[in-house]
Amino acid sequence: MVIAIGFEGSANKLGIGIVKDGVVLSNCRRTYITPPGEGFLPRETAQHHRENALVVLQEALDEAKVKPEEIDVVCYTKGPGMGAPLVSTSVVALTVAQLWNKPVIGVNHCIGHIEMGRLITGANNPTVLYVSGGNTQVIAYSRRRYRIFGETIDIAVGNCLDRFARVLKLSNDPSPGYNIEQLAKKGKKLLKMPYVVKGMDVSFSGILSFMEERSQGLLGSGEYTPEDLCFSLQETIFAMLIETTERAMAHCESSEVLIVGGVGCNLRLQEMMGIMCKERNAKLFATDERFCIDNGAMIAQAGIEMFNHGWKTPWEETTCTQRYRTDDVEVIWRD
Amino acid sequence: MSTEFQGFELIKQGAEGRLFRGSYLGKPTIVKERFRKTYRHPDLDDYLTKERMKAEARAIVRSKAAGVRTPSIFLVDFERRRIYMEDIKPSITVKKFITDSLLGCSGEDALGKIKPVALEVGSIVGKLHAHNIIHGDLTTSNMLYSISEDGQITVTLIDFGLSHVENSAEDKGVDLYVLERALLSTHANADKLFPIIMQSYKKANNKDSKTVLDKFEDVRARGRKRTMVG
């Protein structure tokens, strides 16, 4: 029986969660929300995490009804992510590990998403679409690594959505992507925009520039409504994601798909993926905002897998890194 | 949505559409039907399907002129979203060839077996780029390996749906990046394969391989930079 606590703070969410043998006991979170038209910057985000860390930690312990001495291992996000928020969160994790005299495991954020998705949905060996504000990857497991088959060659899909939300001055509460999704439901008219797929890779920067340049004109002339633009953007970029996922599935002969990451809780994306899966007799696995969006439990879950296979991060290696690729991690817990 | 038509048998559902095998005008034929993808908006689906059928037909003709083996096109039916093309047989995908070669073989032996095929792959990609054809989806699933009785190896390139004609080093660099990444994720010995491929690529595309390789390095660097934020 292993109880792990996970600390996540790689972007604008601070999450602390406790997992006991595949059961999530608590999963507490605070999100740093910026005013409409603005994104989050490293310094202010780190400050947000510092200010909230102890409150969220107490909440996670209380909710899980777990005493510090019952915890077996402390897990934290080593990377990838923004430097300052990563460090401010890891300092808390490392401090409690010292206070409670527990081993530490540094976890790759992307691996956390994948392992959480597998735990919650029961997917066995899925092709993974990992879509968030910082990452867009199509991943499949082989030879002890989560291999990246396709990814964005410039900005992440969530970054494209967030920055488009800034163009429309949409609220960042609860998240810009959520507000785009709500508006898109009322959109009807499809605007033709670049559609950029290169094999299993995608590109979003051209689409973003296109939208940034034309949105004001299209709205001003009354030709398109904000709803239409949100609808058009979603339909286009999601179609690109589904297409590359399907290509990776065909290439790997896979019949399961798992969607993880913050953008993964978009219901339209899930719906489109579901249709694609049905057409090829595949199965879709997806989760909701509790587990899709960055959280502490996912770091704990990946940490448990590593801990159960004898892994501990040596103290001198308990650092953070902004760049940490999914395929850098040797997946010792799978065959 | 028709899944079968007279004399044709469904063999596979690929990423782009369904593949059927049969006979057309007495020749062994593969039909690729890009059926309606209902997950995407109908306008977007019509547009993409039409563009890709055009791209595929065009690039295949151009590639033949460039001396690259591709299936011959027999018929393009926009109405039914089908392309009728030559069935290359007997053949297996290069992906299967590499995977099979690695089975029960030491790394060195397998590499010796794969090397001529890798050189051929580099040479055909080089020829494409020398003629400004960007394939757009270079993976080992999209290359067919066949060997004649006298041991002559042929690699046939298929799936040109994402191709376009472009003289830019950037696009060629991205094409190579796609190939490298597909190799790395699929094959255990990719780190040894790719340099062999590049060796013959440079020969086949000596005209602008230097600028393309510089761009390729740029694209790679961009890929690495992009992992900044989780």
Side-chain angles (χ1 to χ4, degrees), chain A residues 175-186:
Chain A
S175 72
Y178 179 82
N179 293 320
I180 290 182
E181 182 182 358
Q182 303 317 310
L183 283 182
K185 286 178 184 165
K186 290 174 233 142

Side-chain angles (χ1 to χ4, degrees), chain B residues 64-145:
Chain B
K64 277 203 184 302
V68 174
R69 178 86 168 98
T70 58
S72 299
I73 295 214
F74 299 151
L75 176 72
V76 178
D77 183 347
F78 279 113
E79 199 64 23
R80 294 188 179 78
R81 301 171 158 233
R82 288 177 190 155
I83 294 183
Y84 290 60
M85 60 188 122
E86 176 190 0
D87 189 0
I88 309 282
K89 55 183 185 182
S91 66
I92 54 170
T93 62
V94 169
K95 180 186 167 196
K96 185 162 164 36
F97 173 79
I98 297 176
T99 313
D100 290 354
S101 302
L102 286 172
L103 285 176
C105 231
S106 80
E108 282 302 307
D109 290 355
L111 201 65
K113 224 166 127 189
I114 298 167
K115 194 174 174 185
V117 178
L119 286 172
E120 184 59 22
V121 167
S123 148
I124 60 174
V125 176
K127 278 186 212 161
L128 283 189
H129 285 185
H131 289 80
N132 299 328
I133 305 162
I134 314 296
H135 182 274
D137 188 16
L138 289 171
T139 66
T140 46
S141 295
N142 289 339
M143 299 167 187
L144 302 178
Y145 162 88

Side-chain angles (χ1 to χ4, degrees), chain A residues 80-81 109 130 134-135 143 148-149 151-152 154 195 198-199 201 243 246-247 251 272 275 279-280 322, chain B residues 13-16 37-39 47-48 52 95 136-137 141 162 174 181 185-188 226-230:
Chain A
H109 179 87
Y130 170 27
N135 275 298
R143 293 171 282 122
I148 303 168
F149 281 79
E151 63 186 320
T152 171
D154 40 60
Y195 181 99
K198 296 168 196 288
D201 288 340
E243 184 187 341
E246 184 170 17
R247 192 162 286 124
H251 184 67
M272 289 167 75
I275 299 171
E279 276 169 357
R280 38 182 327 116
Q322 298 193 119
Chain B
Q13 180 158 335
E16 293 270 290
K37 303 255 175 173
T38 48
Y39 69 77
Y47 168 75
L48 289 175
R52 285 174 186 183
K95 180 186 167 196
D137 188 16
S141 295
L162 295 180
V174 171
R181 292 266 321 290
S185 47
T186 315
H187 301 293
R226 200 221 51 265
T227 56
M228 289 279 288
V229 180

Side-chain angles (χ1 to χ4, degrees), chain A residues 176 194 284 328:
Chain A
L284 168 67
D328 279 346

Side-chain angles (χ1 to χ4, degrees), chain A residues 240-296:
Chain A
M240 289 162 52
L241 294 173
I242 308 287
E243 184 187 341
T244 44
T245 307
E246 184 170 17
R247 192 162 286 124
M249 288 173 79
H251 184 67
C252 307
E253 288 154 37
S254 153
S255 58
E256 285 183 344
V257 183
L258 171 67
I259 311 182
V260 299
V263 183
C265 52
N266 186 300
L267 294 178
R268 177 60 185 148
L269 176 65
Q270 293 186 9
E271 181 189 28
M272 289 167 75
M273 191 68 91
I275 299 171
M276 183 273 280
C277 285
K278 213 169 151 201
E279 276 169 357
R280 38 182 327 116
N281 292 321
K283 217 170 157 211
L284 168 67
F285 298 91
T287 61
D288 59 33
E289 52 82 31
R290 287 170 301 164
F291 304 112
C292 254
I293 296 176
D294 294 350
N295 62 84

